[in-house]
Amino acid sequence: QVQLVESGGGLVQAGESLRLSCTASGIIFRVYTLNWHRQAPGKQRELVSTISAGDNTHYADSVKGRFTISRDNAKSTVYLQMNSLKPEDTAVYYCRVDVFGRSVWGRGTQVTVSS
C-alpha cells in the first residue's frame, strides 16, 4: 500500500521560511516523479512544484525563486524549502505521486503565513 506523509507546516510571519517533508512508503521511491500541491481556502488545488526521478524540477510562476524542491532517495523523502513566504502562500500543502496511473495523495500539512 502506497502512503505519503507530509510534515513541517506551521504558522510563520511573512518573509520567514519553512521546510516541508513528504515521506513515502510502499513504492520504489527513486523511480517516481514527486509533486507538491497546495489548496488555499475557497480555491482549487494547484500544482506548486515537481521533481522527476532524474532531478528535473518545475515550479509554478508564483513560487519561482522562493521555493526549492529536492529529494533524498535513501530516505524516500521529498522536500519543499519555502523562503520569503507571503500571506498568499497560506494553504494546505499536499504531496502526490502517480503509481500505475493512479494518483496517491498525502493528508496534507497546513502552512499559515501572517502579514
Side-chain angles (χ1 to χ4, degrees):
Q1 183 180 1
V2 181
Q3 288 189 325
L4 300 172
V5 179
E6 302 96 335
S7 61
L11 171 63
V12 297
Q13 292 188 336
E16 295 185 338
S17 299
L18 280 175
R19 188 176 81 155
L20 306 184
S21 301
C22 170
T23 299
S25 59
I27 58 172
I28 302 174
F29 182 84
R30 59 182 170 80
V31 306
Y32 287 97
T33 293
L34 277 298
N35 309 275
W36 282 102
H37 293 251
R38 67 185 181 187
Q39 188 166 19
K43 295 188 177 181
Q44 288 189 331
R45 194 171 296 189
E46 63 172 346
L47 178 64
V48 174
S49 186
T50 295
I51 185 165
S52 72
D55 287 339
N56 293 313
T57 58
H58 165 82
Y59 298 94
D61 287 342
S62 58
V63 306
K64 277 181 183 175
R66 299 188 298 121
F67 290 12
T68 302
I69 191 170
S70 62
R71 63 191 297 160
D72 185 336
N73 291 334
K75 296 182 178 180
S76 296
T77 299
V78 60
Y79 303 98
L80 187 66
Q81 177 67 43
M82 306 186 296
N83 298 330
S84 302
L85 282 161
K86 303 176 181 180
E88 51 263 44
D89 295 318
T90 295
V92 178
Y93 284 71
Y94 299 90
C95 187
R96 180 191 119 239
V97 64
D98 294 334
V99 181
F100 298 118
R102 183 175 70 92
S103 290
V104 178
W105 296 85
R107 291 188 173 185
T109 185
Q110 175 71 47
V111 172
T112 303
V113 185
S114 64
S115 58

mmCIF file of all heavy atoms in Angstrom, residues 16-38:
data_model
loop_
_atom_site.group_PDB
_atom_site.id
_atom_site.type_symbol
_atom_site.label_atom_id
_atom_site.label_comp_id
_atom_site.label_asym_id
_atom_site.label_seq_id
_atom_site.Cartn_x
_atom_site.Cartn_y
_atom_site.Cartn_z
ATOM 1 N N GLU A 16 9.504 34.831 6.420
ATOM 2 C CA GLU A 16 10.191 33.706 7.058
ATOM 3 C C GLU A 16 10.186 32.463 6.157
ATOM 4 O O GLU A 16 9.666 32.502 5.039
ATOM 5 C CB GLU A 16 9.553 33.412 8.410
ATOM 6 C CG GLU A 16 9.746 34.551 9.399
ATOM 7 C CD GLU A 16 9.214 34.224 10.790
ATOM 8 O OE1 GLU A 16 8.358 33.331 10.912
ATOM 9 O OE2 GLU A 16 9.668 34.889 11.753
ATOM 10 N N SER A 17 10.777 31.399 6.667
ATOM 11 C CA SER A 17 10.945 30.179 5.873
ATOM 12 C C SER A 17 10.355 28.967 6.586
ATOM 13 O O SER A 17 10.232 28.954 7.814
ATOM 14 C CB SER A 17 12.430 29.919 5.620
ATOM 15 O OG SER A 17 13.033 30.978 4.904
ATOM 16 N N LEU A 18 10.025 27.971 5.800
ATOM 17 C CA LEU A 18 9.623 26.652 6.302
ATOM 18 C C LEU A 18 10.160 25.604 5.346
ATOM 19 O O LEU A 18 10.323 25.874 4.143
ATOM 20 C CB LEU A 18 8.100 26.518 6.358
ATOM 21 C CG LEU A 18 7.331 27.131 7.523
ATOM 22 C CD1 LEU A 18 5.827 26.973 7.281
ATOM 23 C CD2 LEU A 18 7.713 26.458 8.837
ATOM 24 N N ARG A 19 10.399 24.415 5.871
ATOM 25 C CA ARG A 19 10.736 23.278 5.016
ATOM 26 C C ARG A 19 9.728 22.166 5.249
ATOM 27 O O ARG A 19 9.604 21.664 6.373
ATOM 28 C CB ARG A 19 12.145 22.762 5.278
ATOM 29 C CG ARG A 19 12.557 21.699 4.242
ATOM 30 C CD ARG A 19 13.979 21.212 4.400
ATOM 31 N NE ARG A 19 14.100 20.213 5.446
ATOM 32 C CZ ARG A 19 15.061 19.294 5.501
ATOM 33 N NH1 ARG A 19 15.989 19.255 4.555
ATOM 34 N NH2 ARG A 19 15.119 18.440 6.498
ATOM 35 N N LEU A 20 9.038 21.807 4.204
ATOM 36 C CA LEU A 20 8.088 20.704 4.254
ATOM 37 C C LEU A 20 8.779 19.414 3.837
ATOM 38 O O LEU A 20 9.671 19.424 2.991
ATOM 39 C CB LEU A 20 6.904 20.969 3.324
ATOM 40 C CG LEU A 20 6.156 22.282 3.511
ATOM 41 C CD1 LEU A 20 4.958 22.328 2.559
ATOM 42 C CD2 LEU A 20 5.713 22.467 4.943
ATOM 43 N N SER A 21 8.317 18.321 4.434
ATOM 44 C CA SER A 21 8.820 16.994 4.091
ATOM 45 C C SER A 21 7.649 16.098 3.725
ATOM 46 O O SER A 21 6.553 16.250 4.260
ATOM 47 C CB SER A 21 9.578 16.369 5.266
ATOM 48 O OG SER A 21 10.673 17.153 5.659
ATOM 49 N N CYS A 22 7.895 15.176 2.835
ATOM 50 C CA CYS A 22 6.895 14.163 2.470
ATOM 51 C C CYS A 22 7.632 12.833 2.345
ATOM 52 O O CYS A 22 8.486 12.679 1.471
ATOM 53 C CB CYS A 22 6.207 14.526 1.170
ATOM 54 S SG CYS A 22 5.160 13.209 0.494
ATOM 55 N N THR A 23 7.296 11.920 3.235
ATOM 56 C CA THR A 23 7.944 10.610 3.239
ATOM 57 C C THR A 23 6.999 9.566 2.668
ATOM 58 O O THR A 23 5.830 9.495 3.058
ATOM 59 C CB THR A 23 8.370 10.224 4.656
ATOM 60 O OG1 THR A 23 9.306 11.198 5.130
ATOM 61 C CG2 THR A 23 9.039 8.858 4.672
ATOM 62 N N ALA A 24 7.525 8.773 1.734
ATOM 63 C CA ALA A 24 6.719 7.768 1.045
ATOM 64 C C ALA A 24 7.055 6.374 1.533
ATOM 65 O O ALA A 24 8.184 6.091 1.957
ATOM 66 C CB ALA A 24 6.964 7.863 -0.459
ATOM 67 N N SER A 25 6.070 5.503 1.460
ATOM 68 C CA SER A 25 6.278 4.090 1.724
ATOM 69 C C SER A 25 5.465 3.294 0.718
ATOM 70 O O SER A 25 4.484 3.780 0.158
ATOM 71 C CB SER A 25 5.876 3.722 3.152
ATOM 72 O OG SER A 25 4.522 4.030 3.388
ATOM 73 N N GLY A 26 5.910 2.060 0.457
ATOM 74 C CA GLY A 26 5.174 1.193 -0.451
ATOM 75 C C GLY A 26 5.525 1.348 -1.920
ATOM 76 O O GLY A 26 4.871 0.732 -2.767
ATOM 77 N N ILE A 27 6.531 2.163 -2.215
ATOM 78 C CA ILE A 27 6.966 2.328 -3.609
ATOM 79 C C ILE A 27 8.489 2.330 -3.677
ATOM 80 O O ILE A 27 9.154 2.563 -2.674
ATOM 81 C CB ILE A 27 6.451 3.650 -4.230
ATOM 82 C CG1 ILE A 27 6.928 4.868 -3.432
ATOM 83 C CG2 ILE A 27 4.955 3.633 -4.406
ATOM 84 C CD1 ILE A 27 6.626 6.199 -4.093
ATOM 85 N N ILE A 28 8.988 2.049 -4.890
ATOM 86 C CA ILE A 28 10.428 2.215 -5.139
ATOM 87 C C ILE A 28 10.619 3.692 -5.431
ATOM 88 O O ILE A 28 10.538 4.146 -6.579
ATOM 89 C CB ILE A 28 10.888 1.335 -6.308
ATOM 90 C CG1 ILE A 28 10.558 -0.135 -6.008
ATOM 91 C CG2 ILE A 28 12.389 1.495 -6.531
ATOM 92 C CD1 ILE A 28 10.835 -1.086 -7.161
ATOM 93 N N PHE A 29 10.875 4.442 -4.376
ATOM 94 C CA PHE A 29 10.781 5.897 -4.396
ATOM 95 C C PHE A 29 11.593 6.528 -5.520
ATOM 96 O O PHE A 29 11.139 7.444 -6.190
ATOM 97 C CB PHE A 29 11.248 6.421 -3.034
ATOM 98 C CG PHE A 29 11.169 7.899 -2.871
ATOM 99 C CD1 PHE A 29 9.977 8.504 -2.490
ATOM 100 C CD2 PHE A 29 12.285 8.707 -3.082
ATOM 101 C CE1 PHE A 29 9.897 9.881 -2.322
ATOM 102 C CE2 PHE A 29 12.220 10.073 -2.933
ATOM 103 C CZ PHE A 29 11.013 10.660 -2.544
ATOM 104 N N ARG A 30 12.795 6.014 -5.756
ATOM 105 C CA ARG A 30 13.740 6.696 -6.646
ATOM 106 C C ARG A 30 13.288 6.755 -8.100
ATOM 107 O O ARG A 30 13.801 7.563 -8.864
ATOM 108 C CB ARG A 30 15.106 6.009 -6.578
ATOM 109 C CG ARG A 30 15.078 4.539 -6.964
ATOM 110 C CD ARG A 30 16.460 3.911 -6.813
ATOM 111 N NE ARG A 30 16.402 2.459 -6.952
ATOM 112 C CZ ARG A 30 16.354 1.826 -8.110
ATOM 113 N NH1 ARG A 30 16.364 2.530 -9.234
ATOM 114 N NH2 ARG A 30 16.309 0.506 -8.152
ATOM 115 N N VAL A 31 12.309 5.929 -8.490
ATOM 116 C CA VAL A 31 11.910 5.908 -9.901
ATOM 117 C C VAL A 31 10.731 6.812 -10.200
ATOM 118 O O VAL A 31 10.335 6.957 -11.356
ATOM 119 C CB VAL A 31 11.592 4.470 -10.370
ATOM 120 C CG1 VAL A 31 12.751 3.536 -10.080
ATOM 121 C CG2 VAL A 31 10.296 3.951 -9.765
ATOM 122 N N TYR A 32 10.176 7.425 -9.175
ATOM 123 C CA TYR A 32 8.952 8.190 -9.361
ATOM 124 C C TYR A 32 9.173 9.697 -9.351
ATOM 125 O O TYR A 32 10.031 10.214 -8.636
ATOM 126 C CB TYR A 32 7.935 7.844 -8.272
ATOM 127 C CG TYR A 32 7.324 6.484 -8.467
ATOM 128 C CD1 TYR A 32 7.822 5.377 -7.788
ATOM 129 C CD2 TYR A 32 6.254 6.302 -9.333
ATOM 130 C CE1 TYR A 32 7.273 4.125 -7.977
ATOM 131 C CE2 TYR A 32 5.693 5.051 -9.524
ATOM 132 C CZ TYR A 32 6.212 3.968 -8.848
ATOM 133 O OH TYR A 32 5.663 2.732 -9.039
ATOM 134 N N THR A 33 8.324 10.385 -10.127
ATOM 135 C CA THR A 33 8.198 11.832 -10.038
ATOM 136 C C THR A 33 7.327 12.172 -8.831
ATOM 137 O O THR A 33 6.289 11.541 -8.608
ATOM 138 C CB THR A 33 7.550 12.390 -11.318
ATOM 139 O OG1 THR A 33 8.457 12.199 -12.415
ATOM 140 C CG2 THR A 33 7.226 13.857 -11.180
ATOM 141 N N LEU A 34 7.776 13.148 -8.052
ATOM 142 C CA LEU A 34 7.030 13.574 -6.877
ATOM 143 C C LEU A 34 6.549 15.006 -7.067
ATOM 144 O O LEU A 34 7.228 15.815 -7.707
ATOM 145 C CB LEU A 34 7.900 13.493 -5.620
ATOM 146 C CG LEU A 34 8.038 12.144 -4.915
ATOM 147 C CD1 LEU A 34 6.687 11.663 -4.408
ATOM 148 C CD2 LEU A 34 8.679 11.111 -5.808
ATOM 149 N N ASN A 35 5.401 15.293 -6.523
ATOM 150 C CA ASN A 35 4.756 16.592 -6.722
ATOM 151 C C ASN A 35 4.287 17.197 -5.395
ATOM 152 O O ASN A 35 3.816 16.473 -4.532
ATOM 153 C CB ASN A 35 3.520 16.431 -7.610
ATOM 154 C CG ASN A 35 3.808 15.684 -8.889
ATOM 155 O OD1 ASN A 35 4.250 16.256 -9.881
ATOM 156 N ND2 ASN A 35 3.572 14.374 -8.867
ATOM 157 N N TRP A 36 4.388 18.514 -5.320
ATOM 158 C CA TRP A 36 3.769 19.263 -4.226
ATOM 159 C C TRP A 36 2.639 20.114 -4.812
ATOM 160 O O TRP A 36 2.823 20.807 -5.807
ATOM 161 C CB TRP A 36 4.772 20.187 -3.539
ATOM 162 C CG TRP A 36 5.702 19.515 -2.600
ATOM 163 C CD1 TRP A 36 7.005 19.172 -2.825
ATOM 164 C CD2 TRP A 36 5.420 19.127 -1.254
ATOM 165 N NE1 TRP A 36 7.541 18.592 -1.713
ATOM 166 C CE2 TRP A 36 6.595 18.554 -0.724
ATOM 167 C CE3 TRP A 36 4.290 19.210 -0.434
ATOM 168 C CZ2 TRP A 36 6.660 18.058 0.589
ATOM 169 C CZ3 TRP A 36 4.363 18.719 0.855
ATOM 170 C CH2 TRP A 36 5.538 18.153 1.353
ATOM 171 N N HIS A 37 1.487 20.032 -4.157
ATOM 172 C CA HIS A 37 0.348 20.861 -4.497
ATOM 173 C C HIS A 37 -0.042 21.663 -3.264
ATOM 174 O O HIS A 37 0.383 21.346 -2.148
ATOM 175 C CB HIS A 37 -0.857 19.993 -4.896
ATOM 176 C CG HIS A 37 -0.680 19.230 -6.155
ATOM 177 N ND1 HIS A 37 -1.357 19.534 -7.314
ATOM 178 C CD2 HIS A 37 0.094 18.153 -6.445
ATOM 179 C CE1 HIS A 37 -1.009 18.671 -8.260
ATOM 180 N NE2 HIS A 37 -0.137 17.822 -7.755
ATOM 181 N N ARG A 38 -0.887 22.662 -3.452
ATOM 182 C CA ARG A 38 -1.453 23.387 -2.329
ATOM 183 C C ARG A 38 -2.880 23.792 -2.637
ATOM 184 O O ARG A 38 -3.257 23.936 -3.804
ATOM 185 C CB ARG A 38 -0.624 24.616 -1.970
ATOM 186 C CG ARG A 38 -0.629 25.728 -3.008
ATOM 187 C CD ARG A 38 0.323 26.829 -2.590
ATOM 188 N NE ARG A 38 0.338 27.927 -3.554
ATOM 189 C CZ ARG A 38 1.183 28.954 -3.489
ATOM 190 N NH1 ARG A 38 2.083 29.038 -2.496
ATOM 191 N NH2 ARG A 38 1.135 29.904 -4.398
#
